[in-house]
Amino acid sequence: MHRIIKEKLPRHIAIIMDGNGRWAKKNLLNRIMGHKKGAESVRLVVKTCRELGIQYLTLYAFSIENWQRPENEVRALSSLLEEYLRLELQEMKKTNIKLITIGDTGKLPETVKDVLLDVMEKTSENRGMVLNLALSYGGRDEIVDAAKRILRDSKSTDIDENAITKDFFSGYLHTANIPDPDLLIRTSGEYRLSNFLLWQLAYTELYFTDVLWPEFSRDDLIEAIMDYQRRERRFGLISDQLSKE
Ligand code: FPP
């Protein structure tokens, strides 16, 4: 039994899944085996979030910088993703999960793009939870991309300088239709954002744990959510102002 307060659940959880390589090393395995075990944690976390009633889950599965890893590792990550999507489609349908992506997915291998499109299409009507995979994603790249698209649109439609508000700008980000994360979890004892959701994390509660991603359990997730529920989110205000609302 956990003591999560149903009424205070984070609407959106984002996770930097880190430590697959170190887990493999610790267990005298190759890095690919670490990612394989990491994919099992993905299954467990998706299932648990769905059961708890989380509405949005964003997972940092492949950063734009990850393309620079050794070719065999990049290949292994993309086939793991492909395998994950093929195997999980039925489960996503059954549990009412909608799959979406953020990032420069055009760069992914054709086979991965095909299965991604297929799963997104077949789950597009699902409303139980949104699973958002960040693939070939970089936060700064996303912001630059938004600026470019605003400039492009301003050539065909008149955009007044005063119309460029924070909300307007958010609408040009890859996350246009989803709320900002309430809780960010990073595993493996690293205290960085690593170019993840730079704009969207402005008021997010950050949670760091030493647990390596392949060992991240249901209890670890519940602990992170309970820690979040003990915090007071002030959004720049003072406590008294919050209790008056
Ligand atoms: C970080 O570990 C993890 C990644 C770069 C990729 C995350 C991928 C998975 C969890 C598996 C496949 C994904 C899905 C959605 C099925 P690291 O290699 O940076 O670990 P290290 O810092 O210990 O070397």
Side-chain angles (χ1 to χ4, degrees), residues 5 32 51 63 84 87 99 139 170 175 197 209 211 222-223 228:
I5 308 159
I32 314 290
E51 282 167 11
S63 75
Y84 171 82
L87 293 175
L99 181 82
S170 294
T175 49
L197 301 175
T209 169
V211 176
I222 287 169
E223 179 51 41
Y228 164 85

Side-chain angles (χ1 to χ4, degrees), residues 48-66:
T48 309
C49 282
R50 175 70 188 100
E51 282 167 11
L52 291 172
I54 302 299
Q55 290 176 43
Y56 298 86
L57 173 65
T58 297
L59 300 176
Y60 204 3
F62 195 80
S63 75
I64 203 129
E65 290 80 15
N66 286 157

Side-chain angles (χ1 to χ4, degrees), residues 75-89:
R75 226 178 304 121
L77 279 168
S78 72
S79 48
L80 263 178
L81 173 67
E82 200 182 322
E83 182 187 288
Y84 171 82
L85 294 168
R86 284 193 202 287
L87 293 175
E88 294 309 302
L89 174 61

Side-chain angles (χ1 to χ4, degrees), residues 65-104:
E65 290 80 15
N66 286 157
W67 287 113
Q68 290 155 36
R69 291 196 174 192
E71 210 184 304
N72 71 323
E73 186 167 339
V74 172
R75 226 178 304 121
L77 279 168
S78 72
S79 48
L80 263 178
L81 173 67
E82 200 182 322
E83 182 187 288
Y84 171 82
L85 294 168
R86 284 193 202 287
L87 293 175
E88 294 309 302
L89 174 61
Q90 289 316 318
E91 189 65 19
M92 287 188 213
K93 280 183 168 170
K94 204 171 83 195
T95 54
N96 203 14
I97 291 176
K98 173 180 176 170
L99 181 82
I100 62 168
T101 63
I102 52 171
D104 189 1

Side-chain angles (χ1 to χ4, degrees), residues 182-196:
D182 302 293
L183 170 63
L184 171 84
I185 300 172
R186 181 169 190 151
T187 58
S188 90
E190 305 285 352
Y191 301 86
R192 288 187 294 276
L193 294 183
S194 298
N195 205 12
F196 189 45

Side-chain angles (χ1 to χ4, degrees), residues 17-23 31 35 38-39 42 60-62 66 69 73 77 80-81 84 133 213:
M17 311 180 287
D18 197 9
N20 294 349
R22 273 161 290 161
W23 178 86
R31 295 182 54 82
H35 295 313
V42 170
Y60 204 3
F62 195 80
N66 286 157
R69 291 196 174 192
E73 186 167 339
L77 279 168
L80 263 178
L81 173 67
Y84 171 82
L133 295 181
W213 179 250

